[in-house]
Amino acid sequence: MSRNSNYYQVSRCADLGPAARILTEEFYSHRTNFITFQIERLKTSLSLESTFPKRDSTSRCDMFNQPLKQMFVACNNKDGTVLGFAEVDASPLMTINYAEERNKNSENSTNNIKRPYMYNLAVDKRWKRKGIARALIRECENFVRDRHKRRAEMVDFSSLNRKGESSCSNSIPKLFLKVRNNNTAAISLYKTMEYREIDPKTLSLSQEEVNIGSAELGELVIFAKDLIAEK
């Protein structure tokens, strides 16, 4: 999909190296030197490779054997350079501590958060404020809508003619995310896209659980949006 002279697509394996650089610059550049930056970049690259969505038994897939997790990239139309990255987990609504998930950066970790969940959103510092983050968020939202629709259709079909069985086709999926309360630019963007802050207690979470593993300044807050079907 093309927007603003860029295109947006599902990430390929070849995109993970550039994506790792962008993520490391976004979340680690302020507290690393040249050597430690390269170490963090390598760790991030290996982490992305280990969780790259595949249609096999090692990945969480839906009933159509479609990955429930996806990675998206923004690329330059001229040369295909990766300009931004985002991940999303479209698993059914739940609250669970995925200790086995990577805990790369607390703002983007998938621990102690409701699904569906968007994380690891970052844009190359030379390409910020050009609508790229907004477009990547839209890609994640559309992915969740699509997986929710497929799941609802299958559940409705399997429960056909069952008395008292309520249809889930009319349910509205939510997309959750975490952001630091001092990241005013990101919070402003999310609010313009109709995301609203959620009290952790309504999700049976404490503030301490939301901030598990956090070593940065500023508390993490949870935002969510009802993904009403686009007309």
Side-chain angles (χ1 to χ4, degrees):
M1 185 180 298
S2 297
R3 301 186 191 94
N4 302 326
S5 300
N6 303 314
Y7 63 91
Y8 302 81
Q9 65 181 19
V10 171
S11 177
R12 306 164 302 169
C13 284
D15 298 324
L16 299 185
R21 174 188 60 78
I22 292 172
L23 287 168
T24 307
E25 287 180 349
E26 180 73 19
F27 301 116
Y28 290 99
S29 60
H30 64 289
R31 56 189 176 94
T32 56
N33 55 37
F34 177 79
I35 296 177
T36 55
F37 178 88
Q38 302 306 322
I39 294 174
E40 292 296 343
R41 180 177 175 178
L42 176 60
K43 288 167 60 178
T44 301
S45 180
L46 293 174
S47 180
L48 292 177
E49 290 176 7
S50 69
T51 57
F52 187 73
K54 305 179 182 68
R55 290 184 177 87
D56 58 29
S57 59
T58 64
S59 299
R60 286 203 298 273
C61 296
D62 65 12
M63 58 196 70
F64 299 97
N65 199 33
Q66 297 294 314
L68 287 170
K69 295 178 66 176
Q70 196 55 272
M71 301 175 176
F72 293 98
V73 289
C75 301
N76 187 294
N77 258 335
K78 294 181 179 179
D79 56 15
T81 301
V82 175
L83 308 177
F85 180 81
E87 289 188 74
V88 64
D89 184 340
S91 300
L93 184 65
M94 63 183 78
T95 302
I96 188 166
N97 183 354
Y98 280 101
E100 78 278 7
E101 297 277 4
R102 75 174 182 281
N103 189 17
K104 174 190 173 301
N105 180 282
S106 294
E107 183 170 339
N108 300 285
S109 93
T110 54
N111 292 341
N112 291 313
I113 186 66
K114 282 220 173 193
R115 304 293 202 284
Y117 180 53
M118 180 178 65
Y119 55 107
N120 273 343
L121 172 65
V123 176
D124 189 303
K125 59 185 178 182
R126 296 163 295 183
W127 288 84
K128 289 181 179 291
R129 296 177 176 83
K130 297 183 183 296
I132 294 174
R134 183 183 296 270
L136 285 168
I137 293 171
R138 293 295 189 201
E139 294 292 332
C140 291
E141 291 177 351
N142 289 336
F143 178 79
V144 172
R145 285 192 186 96
D146 177 73
R147 291 299 181 267
H148 175 78
K149 180 180 178 181
R150 289 169 178 263
R151 185 163 55 247
E153 289 174 347
M154 179 58 73
V155 170
D156 285 351
F157 177 78
S158 64
S159 61
L160 191 63
N161 296 325
R162 291 182 185 176
K163 293 183 178 180
E165 188 77 34
S166 61
S167 169
C168 69
S169 60
N170 294 323
S171 64
I172 300 174
K174 284 183 181 289
L175 182 57
F176 294 85
L177 60 89
K178 288 194 290 185
V179 62
R180 296 198 175 279
N181 61 4
N182 56 6
N183 191 344
T184 55
I187 289 175
S188 177
L189 171 61
Y190 294 137
K191 286 183 175 180
T192 64
M193 298 185 71
E194 302 180 348
Y195 285 84
R196 297 292 178 263
E197 185 174 348
I198 302 295
D199 184 344
K201 293 179 181 178
T202 65
L203 305 177
S204 301
L205 294 172
S206 67
Q207 190 60 48
E208 290 73 20
E209 289 174 316
V210 175
N211 282 279
I212 284 178
S214 175
E216 303 295 319
L217 294 176
E219 284 195 338
L220 292 168
V221 292
I222 299 173
F223 276 71
K225 175 182 178 179
D226 289 330
L227 298 182
I228 300 172
E230 293 185 325
K231 297 180 180 179

